[in-house]
Amino acid sequence: MTDIVAVTEIKGRVINVSNRLPVLIRKHAGGARVERSSGGLATALDAGWRHQRGIWIGWAGTSPGQHIEPLLLKASQARSYTLRSVSLTEDEIAKFYSGFANEIIWPLFHDMPSRCNFDPEYWEIYQRVNRKFGKVTAETATPDDFIWVHDYHLMLTASAMRQAGVSAPMGFFLHIPFPSPDVFEKLPWKKPILKSLLEFDVIGFQSDHDRVNFVACLERLLPEAKVEPGIPRVQVRLEGRRTVIGTFPIGIDFDEFARQAAESGIEAHSSEIRRRLSGDTLVLGVDRLDYTKGIPERLKSFRLLLRRFPEQRGHITLVQVVVPSREEIPNYKHLRREVELLVSQINGEFTEPGWVPVHYIHRNLGREELLAYYRAADIGLVTPLKDGMNLVAKEFCAAQIDERGVLIVSEFAGAGPELRCGAIVVNPNDFSEVAQALHDAAIMGVEEKRNRMRLLREVVKEHNVQRWIGSFLQAMPTAEAVISKRGAASDLGSQYIFSHRRDETMPGVALVATALSPDARPRYQMGREKLRMLGRAAGED
Ligand code: ADP
Ligand code: F6P
């Protein structure tokens, strides 16, 4: 492992552009109020940029007609960067956000093409809204700035900005998975999307799996693009432009989560939750209410656990927290009914005096309440059917300051391979395997739990959101023009500074090995014996 610390300095400002701002304006009878947006993008970016100057352009999550500027100004004052809103009409919300983004791209990119509604009108409005975001950004940016566009809602913005004459470097990060060519090619508008993405200078993916899929799509569907292979970064040339393609697994602000989790108020709240919930083992699921999160499958696995291990009845309790999400979309309405029916069926089958097996919470929790649940839990159950990364898994580890909890994570989340070192990794479609994992976690010894969680917390701490930002900025090919790289962290005169340790154990590099050779997998899966030895080496028994 080399241990070079590099410092990246942007001469101008960083302009983050995403569909959603980190705050959302919610209307209520007396007016409107500001809430924290849920979702991994908003949580991670807000934490990563909170103390950096810059601009964040996005939608405030509300329909037009709302007087939102004073509310956004107030939210900006709590941060170092400025929030600038892009307003969407009712029609755009329906056809761009709910329609193209979440009824086509979201299910397709999560390998669920049968859930797609390929309405051609959605495509029209998607192009129009991308031009709108591109225009607002073009009016804001100077050539010294760095424009960083996030996620699948805005894949066409680079061409819109280039047409508007923007010369500032532009990067794009996809927070969700990228599908294989067999799935992607079902999209009627696949070519313009690929071509437009190649107008960015850097394109980042969560995992090597996604990056490899994207390059395979280029090779099959856009043969005029010349791919120059490389690990971990690939370069692609098209029409005189060069694009760097890399893997940058996103992280969380570990120190902030760990610090807040240790506060006495959170500790008291967490003890109160445990006191009020009967049973010895508290299992926690926290998700947006989304069909990709595998919530019905998780409930069925929990039901199987109770059927197969009757001795656990009365002793194990599942708390499933869901944030309402995309409620206008039919698939999401059905999901809510399905989840609520399953919860009531399980409770109907197993509840005893003094014990309710599933506690179901359907609302957005404040940070303190969320942390209290993370701390109270014995098992974090994170079993999406497919997920770009899944930050809940990382937040759970960061909040486990007393190293008591066990993480069970899906192999189909970006976080699965990355956290393989200490988590129990499961296939969420295999209810029997998940039930067994829950049972194993419930009876796991204190020492093994501690050793596993210690490893997990090291990984989550090391691969944090600050490092993610630093590694993405350093991938900019126009570094000489816009970014100066220095060898030491001593010159802190610049606006944007992120230290980034180059490290051969970066998950991106590790995942290449996983993808290339199945034999490499055991390196990342810590066996129980090894965990016990680690504990002994640290003088713990
Ligand atoms: P996604 O981006 O698909 O929603 P992630 O797991 O990456 O999935 O991110 C979810 C984010 O939303 C996390 O930061 C988590 O803390 C937050 N979140 C999820 N459920 C809730 C909830 N009920 N209340 C508040 N925040 C939540
Ligand atoms: O992290 C993935 C993501 O899709 C974000 O892009 C999005 O903001 C978030 O999940 C939540 O979804 P929504 O913005 O539709 O509420």
Side-chain angles (χ1 to χ4, degrees):
M1 184 208 295
T2 47
D3 200 24
I4 304 162
V5 175
V7 175
T8 302
E9 177 188 352
I10 308 285
K11 282 185 191 158
R13 304 157 301 174
V14 171
I15 303 181
N16 279 300
V17 189
S18 66
N19 172 57
R20 207 178 260 295
L21 287 172
V23 293
L24 105 102
I25 311 289
R26 198 177 299 278
K27 291 180 191 172
H28 60 88
R33 63 166 180 271
V34 179
E35 283 180 15
R36 188 194 279 263
S37 298
S38 61
L41 182 160
T43 315
L45 270 185
D46 195 26
W49 290 103
R50 188 165 275 266
H51 304 298
Q52 306 292 333
R53 278 187 288 142
I55 297 175
W56 189 334
I57 295 174
W59 173 53
T62 190
S63 47
Q66 201 64 43
H67 193 49
I68 61 168
E69 291 316 319
L71 292 170
L72 282 185
L73 188 65
K74 202 160 164 229
S76 294
Q77 281 160 0
R79 297 166 166 81
S80 306
Y81 59 82
T82 306
L83 300 171
R84 183 157 300 167
S85 82
V86 176
S87 138
L88 298 181
T89 65
E90 295 284 4
D91 192 50
E92 288 168 344
I93 295 169
K95 293 173 185 154
F96 154 76
Y97 168 69
S98 296
F100 197 85
N102 288 320
E103 283 187 74
I104 298 180
I105 301 296
W106 180 268
L108 191 74
F109 281 30
H110 285 85
D111 289 343
M112 301 180 186
S114 63
R115 289 186 183 263
C116 293
N117 172 10
F118 292 110
D119 184 336
E121 218 191 327
Y122 290 174
W123 170 239
E124 293 307 316
I125 307 302
Y126 185 75
Q127 293 174 88
R128 187 169 92 199
V129 173
N130 270 254
R131 283 196 296 272
K132 192 187 239 188
F133 272 85
K135 186 163 174 280
V136 174
T137 311
E139 286 163 2
T140 309
T142 71
D144 278 346
D145 295 336
F146 168 59
I147 300 169
W148 192 356
V149 178
H150 298 265
D151 235 355
Y152 59 100
H153 315 83
L154 300 177
M155 293 187 286
L156 306 179
T157 45
S159 34
M161 290 189 282
R162 302 264 180 223
Q163 278 161 24
V166 173
S167 61
M170 299 173 198
F172 176 84
F173 185 79
L174 186 71
H175 291 251
I176 66 172
F178 197 89
S180 69
D182 285 354
V183 174
F184 183 74
E185 70 181 359
K186 296 186 195 311
L187 185 64
W189 310 282
K190 53 198 172 229
K191 275 199 159 200
I193 286 181
L194 289 179
K195 281 186 109 168
S196 189
L197 282 171
L198 289 180
E199 295 205 37
F200 285 102
D201 298 303
V202 180
I203 304 177
F205 294 95
Q206 296 275 25
S207 72
D208 286 317
H209 192 74
D210 302 322
R211 181 176 59 82
V212 166
N213 279 347
F214 178 71
V215 171
C217 286
L218 290 178
E219 284 170 337
R220 184 184 297 182
L221 303 168
L222 211 60
E224 61 270 37
K226 295 292 161 247
V227 177
E228 295 167 14
I231 289 181
R233 308 241 162 94
V234 174
Q235 299 209 11
V236 180
R237 289 179 193 278
L238 181 70
E239 294 167 2
R241 175 173 300 289
R242 189 177 57 139
T243 302
V244 172
I245 298 173
T247 304
F248 307 92
I250 197 169
I252 61 164
D253 188 342
F254 177 92
D255 290 339
E256 179 76 353
F257 268 95
R259 188 188 59 71
Q260 288 181 346
E263 286 171 6
S264 57
I266 305 285
E267 175 138 19
H269 194 158
S270 139
S271 308
E272 184 62 12
I273 290 170
R274 286 201 66 91
R275 199 182 60 74
R276 284 172 174 241
L277 289 173
S278 51
D280 312 316
T281 309
L282 172 56
V283 184
L284 179 68
V286 174
D287 310 82
R288 268 186 316 101
L289 187 48
D290 196 296
Y291 50 81
T292 60
K293 301 292 179 184
I295 301 167
E297 292 77 6
R298 188 180 310 164
L299 288 166
K300 288 175 190 167
S301 301
F302 187 70
R303 179 169 65 191
L304 188 61
L305 166 88
L306 298 177
R307 286 182 181 161
R308 191 175 286 171
F309 301 98
E311 71 278 11
Q312 287 290 343
R313 295 179 199 164
H315 297 285
I316 193 163
T317 304
L318 170 64
V319 174
Q320 177 62 57
V321 186
V322 297
V323 203
S325 182
R326 307 173 189 168
E327 290 174 294
E328 302 311 313
I329 301 174
N331 272 322
Y332 288 75
K333 286 195 180 104
H334 299 154
L335 175 69
R336 179 171 179 186
R337 281 201 290 274
E338 186 185 0
V339 166
E340 293 182 353
L341 184 64
L342 267 166
V343 169
S344 64
Q345 283 173 347
I346 296 170
N347 284 342
E349 185 175 342
F350 296 104
T351 296
E352 295 167 0
W355 174 66
V356 177
V358 184
H359 289 244
Y360 172 68
I361 302 172
H362 179 262
R363 61 170 186 270
N364 201 347
L365 300 185
R367 173 63 65 87
E368 287 175 8
E369 203 176 358
L370 185 65
L371 281 167
Y373 275 102
Y374 282 148
R375 273 207 67 180
D378 299 288
I379 301 173
L381 187 55
V382 183
T383 51
L385 304 178
K386 184 92 182 159
D387 212 333
M389 175 53 67
N390 197 292
L391 294 184
V392 166
K394 296 188 172 186
E395 293 170 6
F396 172 73
C397 297
Q400 283 286 322
I401 51 174
D402 35 21
E403 300 169 336
R404 240 180 4 88
V406 181
L407 176 67
I408 300 178
V409 66
S410 162
E411 61 181 298
F412 306 124
E418 195 182 344
L419 301 182
R420 186 174 281 282
C421 58
I424 301 180
V425 182
V426 292
N427 176 346
N429 300 306
D430 187 342
F431 305 160
S432 177
E433 186 184 43
V434 177
Q436 187 63 49
L438 279 166
H439 179 259
D440 290 352
I443 61 166
M444 193 180 279
V446 174
E447 184 200 347
E448 182 176 349
K449 287 201 274 194
R450 191 177 51 226
N451 290 337
R452 283 178 178 269
M453 187 46 74
R454 200 165 282 177
L455 284 169
L456 287 171
R457 296 185 86 242
E458 272 171 28
V459 172
V460 177
K461 184 178 169 66
E462 175 81 7
H463 301 143
N464 61 12
V465 68
Q466 289 82 7
R467 177 182 173 138
W468 171 70
I469 292 173
S471 62
F472 191 90
L473 295 186
Q474 288 205 343
M476 288 302 300
T478 44
E480 301 74 34
V482 181
I483 298 169
S484 62
K485 291 182 182 161
R486 300 178 186 190
S490 56
D491 180 355
L492 299 180
S494 57
Q495 259 193 1
Y496 299 99
I497 298 177
F498 297 93
S499 65
H500 161 52
R501 193 194 298 162
R502 286 183 218 278
D503 177 350
E504 298 311 318
T505 61
M506 267 193 80
V509 176
L511 284 170
V512 174
T514 311
L516 294 180
S517 142
D519 302 339
R521 281 170 163 245
R523 271 180 59 198
Y524 308 104
Q525 174 92 60
M526 193 68 63
R528 288 193 170 190
E529 191 46 36
K530 182 83 185 286
L531 280 158
R532 269 192 280 278
M533 277 161 52
L534 266 174
R536 281 191 205 110
E540 285 166 358
D541 61 359

